[in-house]
Amino acid sequence: MSLVDSAIARFLPAVPKPLVRRISERYIAGEELDDALRVVHRLNRDGKLATLDVLGEEVTDPDEAAAIAASYRDAIDAFARGRLDSNVSIKPTALGLMLGYDVCRGNLESVVRHAAERGNFVRIDMEDSTTTDETLRLYRELREDGFENVGVVLQACLRRTIEDVRALAALRPNVRICKGIYLERPEIAFRDFEAVRASFVQALGDLLDNGCYVGIATHDEWLLQEGKRLVAEHELAGDEYEFQMLLGVRPALGDALVREGHRLRIYTPFGQHWYSYSLRRLQENPRIAGYIAADTVNRLLPGRNGDS
Ligand SMILES: Cc1cc2nc3c(=O)[nH]c(=O)nc-3n(C[C@H](O)[C@H](O)[C@H](O)COP(=O)(O)OP(=O)(O)OC[C@H]3O[C@@H](n4cnc5c(N)ncnc54)[C@H](O)[C@@H]3O)c2cc1C
């Protein structure tokens, strides 16, 4: 992380809220479900799928965790009513993991069951490494209870990930593979950029070898090429894998994937907690603050679209 990035991250809480909102606008679909549904509709019209994230994490109030679960069930109903092509992505700590495993398990199962009854799918996001074991346990238990409409995330930055791929193989899991957003200790995580890329490629290759459906979640052009290479090598049809990107990040790369005929799903966060979410995300990973600063400068300069 550069000194400039750290300085930007430290400075963020001093940035006026309306400015943070303006900076975050392209990355967040709004405060209300209707705002998010409009964004999903637009994405679908442009040939993209969505996965909706109700903002909220590290929830410590059981009522709030239950309310977030209810918001997810409402969103799933709204997709069915509006014939929208979107599933949901859920952070275990938003459904109460910090209140106890069983609280989270109960809330999560209510959403997964609701989705199953409506032919929809739930992705369990992966948070920092203190939650990895419990998150994988949630996934495993739901699968063992017969839910097929649930998937999990593995983070290439974690040294354990290749072993997790092996341990999960018998379940033929539906996995999103990503680099991992959380800053982890070097004893458990690769810090070197190329090592994370190599781990990503290895995990993706192993997952595809095991016949898994994989969501290849990255904006890294080199990894996108590697993803395309591996998908071609495995002779996968268009509906046997997908690429995934974050709302507002490198949209031209996403458009190119769609033009080439790949399935692309856009991670679409929305909700009241946009401010704390934005600050936390930006501070947790100061590199993102760097991207955003660079992107904002790019957009202010004539002739640049911020997507380079
Ligand atoms: C659909 C999706 C779901 C994810 N789910 C999880 C999850 O469950 N758990 C988890 O730990 N991580 C998750 N992540 C985040 C992921 O782990 C990475 O931190 C993030 O995607 C950046 O890695 P990258 O592969 O895009 O490569 P990088 O090398 O980090 O980024 C490549 C380029 O993309 C641009 N870029 C990337 N991210 C941003 C951003 N946020 N804002 C602006 N520009 C950006 C920059 O131009 C950068 O140079 C998810 C990412 C995606 C796309």
Side-chain angles (χ1 to χ4, degrees):
M1 134 194 12
S2 79
L3 284 175
V4 175
D5 289 350
S6 319
I8 291 168
R10 264 204 310 278
F11 177 68
L12 277 166
V15 175
K17 205 168 166 179
L19 182 57
V20 174
R21 190 189 182 107
R22 223 177 86 67
I23 292 171
S24 307
E25 236 161 36
R26 62 184 290 199
Y27 307 105
I28 292 173
E31 287 190 12
E32 306 297 334
L33 177 59
D34 280 346
D35 300 326
L37 295 175
R38 270 192 293 279
V39 172
V40 172
H41 185 269
R42 198 192 70 220
L43 291 169
N44 286 176
R45 190 198 59 204
D46 295 343
K48 298 165 188 164
L49 316 174
T51 185
L52 209 67
D53 166 35
V54 179
L55 289 175
E57 56 194 285
E58 300 185 8
V59 168
T60 51
D61 170 4
D63 292 339
E64 192 184 345
I68 293 178
S71 301
Y72 274 112
R73 293 192 299 272
D74 290 347
I76 289 165
D77 288 341
F79 300 151
R81 271 198 310 277
R83 295 173 185 279
L84 295 173
D85 204 334
S86 180
N87 59 37
V88 294
S89 286
I90 301 185
K91 290 186 172 50
T93 66
L95 296 195
L97 188 61
M98 292 171 78
L99 291 159
Y101 181 84
D102 291 338
V103 175
C104 178
R105 168 74 213 255
N107 283 325
L108 183 59
E109 184 171 331
S110 78
V111 182
V112 172
R113 187 181 299 282
H114 197 81
E117 288 163 2
R118 286 150 188 83
N120 211 316
F121 176 86
V122 174
R123 170 84 52 197
I124 312 173
D125 283 341
M126 189 59 82
E127 300 175 82
D128 71 64
S129 60
T130 62
T131 68
T132 310
D133 284 332
E134 284 181 313
T135 302
L136 293 176
R137 180 176 160 209
L138 286 165
Y139 172 71
R140 205 176 259 289
E141 286 185 5
L142 286 164
R143 286 292 309 280
E144 284 163 3
D145 284 355
F147 292 104
E148 295 290 326
N149 63 319
V150 61
V152 73
V153 178
L154 294 175
Q155 297 156 321
C157 70
L158 292 189
R159 297 179 191 273
R160 61 178 283 171
T161 283
I162 293 302
E163 188 44 49
D164 286 332
V165 169
R166 225 169 276 140
L168 288 168
L171 290 171
R172 285 192 65 212
N174 181 321
V175 175
R176 171 194 300 150
I177 179 77
C178 64
K179 286 185 178 176
I181 189 111
Y182 302 91
L183 292 178
E184 304 286 2
R185 289 172 293 119
E187 300 85 67
I188 60 164
F190 302 110
R191 287 284 185 82
D192 176 66
F193 190 74
E194 291 304 330
V196 176
R197 275 180 165 175
S199 166
F200 191 115
V201 172
Q202 191 183 345
L204 174 57
D206 290 356
L207 288 163
L208 295 179
D209 287 347
N210 293 337
C212 300
Y213 184 98
V214 186
I216 308 167
T218 183
H219 319 87
D220 178 335
E221 284 178 69
W222 185 83
L223 278 181
L224 289 171
Q225 288 307 327
E226 285 297 286
K228 289 185 214 173
R229 179 181 65 76
L230 285 167
V231 158
E233 271 175 27
H234 287 77
E235 300 181 351
L236 297 182
D239 60 357
E240 291 177 321
Y241 67 94
E242 64 189 44
F243 286 97
Q244 299 186 350
M245 292 188 173
L246 301 172
L247 184 69
V249 175
R250 312 213 65 184
L253 275 183
D255 290 341
L257 286 173
V258 172
R259 274 198 305 277
E260 290 165 17
H262 300 285
R263 212 180 227 190
L264 174 68
R265 189 176 300 278
I266 303 294
Y267 190 99
T268 306
F270 85 98
Q272 308 285 334
H273 296 295
W274 64 268
Y275 180 72
S276 50
Y277 171 86
S278 303
L279 279 196
R280 194 159 43 235
R281 279 280 87 80
L282 296 168
Q283 286 172 312
E284 260 172 11
N285 188 346
R287 272 194 312 157
I288 288 181
Y291 300 151
I292 289 175
D295 178 79
T296 305
V297 170
N298 277 349
R299 279 187 293 144
L300 293 175
L301 293 177
R304 307 277 295 269
N305 66 4
D307 199 41
S308 54

